[in-house]
Amino acid sequence: MDPVWPESTPGLLRLPSGRSVRGRALRRPLPDGPEPEYAVYLTGKRPSQVAWEAEWLRWPDFRLPADRERARRLFRTAWERAAEERVELACGGGRGRTGTALACLAVLDGVPAGEAVAYVRRHYDPRAVETPWQKRYVRRFGGG
């Protein structure tokens, strides 16, 4: 699988299948380089409009997604599209909600649910997935 994001992309998470997804903090400026083609924004309030296709998942800071079924659908769509498109997941700080969503993508990619948080911390950000309930959400994500 050819990478769709350049290897030098900040916040890039390479999944075992070869798919890559960029995680980032919305409170920081957009990084240099190519723009995403599809994004899922994980915020408590509707984010600003962007020039690419984007979905909003209502997800208050330090909490869990307001609509778990919609979260599952959006994560699957992001994972599927990451095979051939530049996909971005982002929240305010780029760690808790973004890390949790990236760990769910890792589960979809075949990483065991009990190991997904460690995978994301090793390959994305050592402080990703900030709360005990976010960790539990990832573990349970693999079962449904």
Side-chain angles (χ1 to χ4, degrees), residues 98-123:
T98 297
T100 302
L102 289 171
C104 291
L105 265 64
V107 171
L108 292 171
D109 204 64
V111 175
E115 299 170 21
V117 170
Y119 182 89
V120 168
R121 286 179 173 171
R122 189 168 50 254
H123 297 285

PDB file of all heavy atoms in Angstrom, residues 98-123:
ATOM      1  N   THR A  98      -8.505  12.601  20.267  1.00  0.00           N
ATOM      2  CA  THR A  98      -7.835  12.153  19.045  1.00  0.00           C
ATOM      3  C   THR A  98      -7.141  10.821  19.285  1.00  0.00           C
ATOM      4  O   THR A  98      -7.255   9.894  18.474  1.00  0.00           O
ATOM      5  CB  THR A  98      -6.824  13.208  18.564  1.00  0.00           C
ATOM      6  OG1 THR A  98      -7.543  14.406  18.236  1.00  0.00           O
ATOM      7  CG2 THR A  98      -6.054  12.738  17.344  1.00  0.00           C
ATOM      8  N   GLY A  99      -6.409  10.702  20.377  1.00  0.00           N
ATOM      9  CA  GLY A  99      -5.736   9.442  20.690  1.00  0.00           C
ATOM     10  C   GLY A  99      -6.708   8.292  20.851  1.00  0.00           C
ATOM     11  O   GLY A  99      -6.456   7.170  20.393  1.00  0.00           O
ATOM     12  N   THR A 100      -7.846   8.555  21.486  1.00  0.00           N
ATOM     13  CA  THR A 100      -8.863   7.525  21.672  1.00  0.00           C
ATOM     14  C   THR A 100      -9.413   7.076  20.325  1.00  0.00           C
ATOM     15  O   THR A 100      -9.540   5.875  20.049  1.00  0.00           O
ATOM     16  CB  THR A 100      -9.997   8.054  22.571  1.00  0.00           C
ATOM     17  OG1 THR A 100      -9.436   8.466  23.830  1.00  0.00           O
ATOM     18  CG2 THR A 100     -11.073   7.013  22.807  1.00  0.00           C
ATOM     19  N   ALA A 101      -9.718   8.030  19.454  1.00  0.00           N
ATOM     20  CA  ALA A 101     -10.230   7.693  18.120  1.00  0.00           C
ATOM     21  C   ALA A 101      -9.171   6.944  17.313  1.00  0.00           C
ATOM     22  O   ALA A 101      -9.494   5.965  16.616  1.00  0.00           O
ATOM     23  CB  ALA A 101     -10.672   8.959  17.395  1.00  0.00           C
ATOM     24  N   LEU A 102      -7.911   7.370  17.390  1.00  0.00           N
ATOM     25  CA  LEU A 102      -6.847   6.663  16.678  1.00  0.00           C
ATOM     26  C   LEU A 102      -6.703   5.239  17.197  1.00  0.00           C
ATOM     27  O   LEU A 102      -6.464   4.304  16.418  1.00  0.00           O
ATOM     28  CB  LEU A 102      -5.523   7.416  16.809  1.00  0.00           C
ATOM     29  CG  LEU A 102      -5.420   8.734  16.039  1.00  0.00           C
ATOM     30  CD1 LEU A 102      -4.144   9.481  16.437  1.00  0.00           C
ATOM     31  CD2 LEU A 102      -5.473   8.510  14.536  1.00  0.00           C
ATOM     32  N   ALA A 103      -6.846   5.049  18.505  1.00  0.00           N
ATOM     33  CA  ALA A 103      -6.774   3.695  19.064  1.00  0.00           C
ATOM     34  C   ALA A 103      -7.924   2.834  18.537  1.00  0.00           C
ATOM     35  O   ALA A 103      -7.741   1.642  18.265  1.00  0.00           O
ATOM     36  CB  ALA A 103      -6.782   3.755  20.594  1.00  0.00           C
ATOM     37  N   CYS A 104      -9.095   3.423  18.355  1.00  0.00           N
ATOM     38  CA  CYS A 104     -10.222   2.674  17.775  1.00  0.00           C
ATOM     39  C   CYS A 104      -9.916   2.293  16.328  1.00  0.00           C
ATOM     40  O   CYS A 104     -10.241   1.168  15.898  1.00  0.00           O
ATOM     41  CB  CYS A 104     -11.510   3.493  17.875  1.00  0.00           C
ATOM     42  SG  CYS A 104     -12.106   3.671  19.578  1.00  0.00           S
ATOM     43  N   LEU A 105      -9.277   3.182  15.577  1.00  0.00           N
ATOM     44  CA  LEU A 105      -8.859   2.835  14.209  1.00  0.00           C
ATOM     45  C   LEU A 105      -7.839   1.706  14.236  1.00  0.00           C
ATOM     46  O   LEU A 105      -7.861   0.817  13.385  1.00  0.00           O
ATOM     47  CB  LEU A 105      -8.298   4.053  13.480  1.00  0.00           C
ATOM     48  CG  LEU A 105      -9.303   4.815  12.617  1.00  0.00           C
ATOM     49  CD1 LEU A 105     -10.417   5.422  13.425  1.00  0.00           C
ATOM     50  CD2 LEU A 105      -8.589   5.877  11.810  1.00  0.00           C
ATOM     51  N   ALA A 106      -6.951   1.729  15.217  1.00  0.00           N
ATOM     52  CA  ALA A 106      -5.975   0.638  15.345  1.00  0.00           C
ATOM     53  C   ALA A 106      -6.683  -0.688  15.589  1.00  0.00           C
ATOM     54  O   ALA A 106      -6.298  -1.727  15.025  1.00  0.00           O
ATOM     55  CB  ALA A 106      -4.981   0.946  16.468  1.00  0.00           C
ATOM     56  N   VAL A 107      -7.744  -0.680  16.394  1.00  0.00           N
ATOM     57  CA  VAL A 107      -8.531  -1.892  16.623  1.00  0.00           C
ATOM     58  C   VAL A 107      -9.147  -2.357  15.302  1.00  0.00           C
ATOM     59  O   VAL A 107      -9.085  -3.550  14.957  1.00  0.00           O
ATOM     60  CB  VAL A 107      -9.620  -1.656  17.696  1.00  0.00           C
ATOM     61  CG1 VAL A 107     -10.589  -2.839  17.771  1.00  0.00           C
ATOM     62  CG2 VAL A 107      -8.983  -1.398  19.060  1.00  0.00           C
ATOM     63  N   LEU A 108      -9.734  -1.440  14.556  1.00  0.00           N
ATOM     64  CA  LEU A 108     -10.304  -1.800  13.253  1.00  0.00           C
ATOM     65  C   LEU A 108      -9.235  -2.371  12.320  1.00  0.00           C
ATOM     66  O   LEU A 108      -9.529  -3.198  11.460  1.00  0.00           O
ATOM     67  CB  LEU A 108     -10.963  -0.577  12.606  1.00  0.00           C
ATOM     68  CG  LEU A 108     -12.222  -0.057  13.284  1.00  0.00           C
ATOM     69  CD1 LEU A 108     -12.647   1.271  12.673  1.00  0.00           C
ATOM     70  CD2 LEU A 108     -13.342  -1.083  13.196  1.00  0.00           C
ATOM     71  N   ASP A 109      -7.999  -1.954  12.509  1.00  0.00           N
ATOM     72  CA  ASP A 109      -6.892  -2.387  11.662  1.00  0.00           C
ATOM     73  C   ASP A 109      -6.284  -3.714  12.129  1.00  0.00           C
ATOM     74  O   ASP A 109      -5.342  -4.200  11.520  1.00  0.00           O
ATOM     75  CB  ASP A 109      -5.817  -1.296  11.632  1.00  0.00           C
ATOM     76  CG  ASP A 109      -4.949  -1.370  10.398  1.00  0.00           C
ATOM     77  OD1 ASP A 109      -5.472  -1.176   9.281  1.00  0.00           O
ATOM     78  OD2 ASP A 109      -3.730  -1.626  10.542  1.00  0.00           O
ATOM     79  N   GLY A 110      -6.795  -4.260  13.222  1.00  0.00           N
ATOM     80  CA  GLY A 110      -6.323  -5.560  13.672  1.00  0.00           C
ATOM     81  C   GLY A 110      -5.509  -5.569  14.943  1.00  0.00           C
ATOM     82  O   GLY A 110      -5.122  -6.635  15.430  1.00  0.00           O
ATOM     83  N   VAL A 111      -5.219  -4.399  15.527  1.00  0.00           N
ATOM     84  CA  VAL A 111      -4.518  -4.366  16.803  1.00  0.00           C
ATOM     85  C   VAL A 111      -5.502  -4.835  17.879  1.00  0.00           C
ATOM     86  O   VAL A 111      -6.627  -4.337  17.933  1.00  0.00           O
ATOM     87  CB  VAL A 111      -4.000  -2.940  17.113  1.00  0.00           C
ATOM     88  CG1 VAL A 111      -3.372  -2.873  18.499  1.00  0.00           C
ATOM     89  CG2 VAL A 111      -3.017  -2.477  16.045  1.00  0.00           C
ATOM     90  N   PRO A 112      -5.117  -5.799  18.724  1.00  0.00           N
ATOM     91  CA  PRO A 112      -6.034  -6.223  19.788  1.00  0.00           C
ATOM     92  C   PRO A 112      -6.470  -5.034  20.648  1.00  0.00           C
ATOM     93  O   PRO A 112      -5.646  -4.159  20.972  1.00  0.00           O
ATOM     94  CB  PRO A 112      -5.201  -7.226  20.596  1.00  0.00           C
ATOM     95  CG  PRO A 112      -4.183  -7.736  19.625  1.00  0.00           C
ATOM     96  CD  PRO A 112      -3.860  -6.553  18.736  1.00  0.00           C
ATOM     97  N   ALA A 113      -7.739  -4.997  21.020  1.00  0.00           N
ATOM     98  CA  ALA A 113      -8.290  -3.859  21.760  1.00  0.00           C
ATOM     99  C   ALA A 113      -7.511  -3.567  23.031  1.00  0.00           C
ATOM    100  O   ALA A 113      -7.312  -2.404  23.391  1.00  0.00           O
ATOM    101  CB  ALA A 113      -9.764  -4.085  22.066  1.00  0.00           C
ATOM    102  N   GLY A 114      -7.022  -4.589  23.711  1.00  0.00           N
ATOM    103  CA  GLY A 114      -6.261  -4.396  24.934  1.00  0.00           C
ATOM    104  C   GLY A 114      -4.871  -3.819  24.708  1.00  0.00           C
ATOM    105  O   GLY A 114      -4.217  -3.399  25.658  1.00  0.00           O
ATOM    106  N   GLU A 115      -4.413  -3.791  23.458  1.00  0.00           N
ATOM    107  CA  GLU A 115      -3.089  -3.264  23.138  1.00  0.00           C
ATOM    108  C   GLU A 115      -3.128  -1.957  22.337  1.00  0.00           C
ATOM    109  O   GLU A 115      -2.089  -1.359  22.070  1.00  0.00           O
ATOM    110  CB  GLU A 115      -2.308  -4.312  22.319  1.00  0.00           C
ATOM    111  CG  GLU A 115      -2.097  -5.610  23.060  1.00  0.00           C
ATOM    112  CD  GLU A 115      -1.541  -6.713  22.168  1.00  0.00           C
ATOM    113  OE1 GLU A 115      -0.951  -6.405  21.113  1.00  0.00           O
ATOM    114  OE2 GLU A 115      -1.710  -7.889  22.539  1.00  0.00           O
ATOM    115  N   ALA A 116      -4.320  -1.529  21.953  1.00  0.00           N
ATOM    116  CA  ALA A 116      -4.448  -0.387  21.042  1.00  0.00           C
ATOM    117  C   ALA A 116      -3.972   0.927  21.652  1.00  0.00           C
ATOM    118  O   ALA A 116      -3.343   1.739  20.964  1.00  0.00           O
ATOM    119  CB  ALA A 116      -5.890  -0.262  20.549  1.00  0.00           C
ATOM    120  N   VAL A 117      -4.245   1.160  22.921  1.00  0.00           N
ATOM    121  CA  VAL A 117      -3.797   2.406  23.554  1.00  0.00           C
ATOM    122  C   VAL A 117      -2.268   2.444  23.570  1.00  0.00           C
ATOM    123  O   VAL A 117      -1.664   3.463  23.218  1.00  0.00           O
ATOM    124  CB  VAL A 117      -4.392   2.569  24.967  1.00  0.00           C
ATOM    125  CG1 VAL A 117      -3.734   3.738  25.707  1.00  0.00           C
ATOM    126  CG2 VAL A 117      -5.904   2.784  24.885  1.00  0.00           C
ATOM    127  N   ALA A 118      -1.632   1.340  23.945  1.00  0.00           N
ATOM    128  CA  ALA A 118      -0.167   1.289  23.965  1.00  0.00           C
ATOM    129  C   ALA A 118       0.394   1.491  22.557  1.00  0.00           C
ATOM    130  O   ALA A 118       1.415   2.181  22.383  1.00  0.00           O
ATOM    131  CB  ALA A 118       0.309  -0.041  24.547  1.00  0.00           C
ATOM    132  N   TYR A 119      -0.267   0.932  21.554  1.00  0.00           N
ATOM    133  CA  TYR A 119       0.180   1.105  20.163  1.00  0.00           C
ATOM    134  C   TYR A 119       0.169   2.587  19.783  1.00  0.00           C
ATOM    135  O   TYR A 119       1.132   3.102  19.230  1.00  0.00           O
ATOM    136  CB  TYR A 119      -0.716   0.296  19.219  1.00  0.00           C
ATOM    137  CG  TYR A 119      -0.285   0.387  17.780  1.00  0.00           C
ATOM    138  CD1 TYR A 119       0.628  -0.512  17.257  1.00  0.00           C
ATOM    139  CD2 TYR A 119      -0.783   1.383  16.940  1.00  0.00           C
ATOM    140  CE1 TYR A 119       1.055  -0.419  15.933  1.00  0.00           C
ATOM    141  CE2 TYR A 119      -0.370   1.492  15.625  1.00  0.00           C
ATOM    142  CZ  TYR A 119       0.552   0.578  15.122  1.00  0.00           C
ATOM    143  OH  TYR A 119       0.965   0.677  13.817  1.00  0.00           O
ATOM    144  N   VAL A 120      -0.924   3.273  20.099  1.00  0.00           N
ATOM    145  CA  VAL A 120      -1.051   4.693  19.745  1.00  0.00           C
ATOM    146  C   VAL A 120      -0.054   5.533  20.543  1.00  0.00           C
ATOM    147  O   VAL A 120       0.554   6.454  20.005  1.00  0.00           O
ATOM    148  CB  VAL A 120      -2.506   5.168  19.937  1.00  0.00           C
ATOM    149  CG1 VAL A 120      -2.620   6.677  19.854  1.00  0.00           C
ATOM    150  CG2 VAL A 120      -3.403   4.502  18.902  1.00  0.00           C
ATOM    151  N   ARG A 121       0.147   5.201  21.801  1.00  0.00           N
ATOM    152  CA  ARG A 121       1.135   5.946  22.598  1.00  0.00           C
ATOM    153  C   ARG A 121       2.548   5.735  22.060  1.00  0.00           C
ATOM    154  O   ARG A 121       3.365   6.639  22.089  1.00  0.00           O
ATOM    155  CB  ARG A 121       1.046   5.518  24.059  1.00  0.00           C
ATOM    156  CG  ARG A 121      -0.190   6.074  24.737  1.00  0.00           C
ATOM    157  CD  ARG A 121      -0.298   5.629  26.160  1.00  0.00           C
ATOM    158  NE  ARG A 121      -1.400   6.323  26.824  1.00  0.00           N
ATOM    159  CZ  ARG A 121      -1.830   6.009  28.028  1.00  0.00           C
ATOM    160  NH1 ARG A 121      -1.263   5.024  28.719  1.00  0.00           N
ATOM    161  NH2 ARG A 121      -2.834   6.682  28.556  1.00  0.00           N
ATOM    162  N   ARG A 122       2.822   4.565  21.558  1.00  0.00           N
ATOM    163  CA  ARG A 122       4.158   4.267  21.024  1.00  0.00           C
ATOM    164  C   ARG A 122       4.377   4.923  19.659  1.00  0.00           C
ATOM    165  O   ARG A 122       5.456   5.410  19.363  1.00  0.00           O
ATOM    166  CB  ARG A 122       4.328   2.749  20.930  1.00  0.00           C
ATOM    167  CG  ARG A 122       5.716   2.283  20.596  1.00  0.00           C
ATOM    168  CD  ARG A 122       5.915   0.772  20.789  1.00  0.00           C
ATOM    169  NE  ARG A 122       4.895  -0.055  20.156  1.00  0.00           N
ATOM    170  CZ  ARG A 122       3.919  -0.704  20.791  1.00  0.00           C
ATOM    171  NH1 ARG A 122       3.791  -0.614  22.106  1.00  0.00           N
ATOM    172  NH2 ARG A 122       3.046  -1.430  20.138  1.00  0.00           N
ATOM    173  N   HIS A 123       3.334   4.969  18.827  1.00  0.00           N
ATOM    174  CA  HIS A 123       3.506   5.409  17.441  1.00  0.00           C
ATOM    175  C   HIS A 123       2.935   6.795  17.128  1.00  0.00           C
ATOM    176  O   HIS A 123       3.153   7.293  16.024  1.00  0.00           O
ATOM    177  CB  HIS A 123       2.884   4.386  16.487  1.00  0.00           C
ATOM    178  CG  HIS A 123       3.533   3.053  16.555  1.00  0.00           C
ATOM    179  ND1 HIS A 123       4.766   2.799  15.991  1.00  0.00           N
ATOM    180  CD2 HIS A 123       3.141   1.900  17.138  1.00  0.00           C
ATOM    181  CE1 HIS A 123       5.089   1.538  16.208  1.00  0.00           C
ATOM    182  NE2 HIS A 123       4.130   0.977  16.912  1.00  0.00           N
TER     183      HIS A 123
END
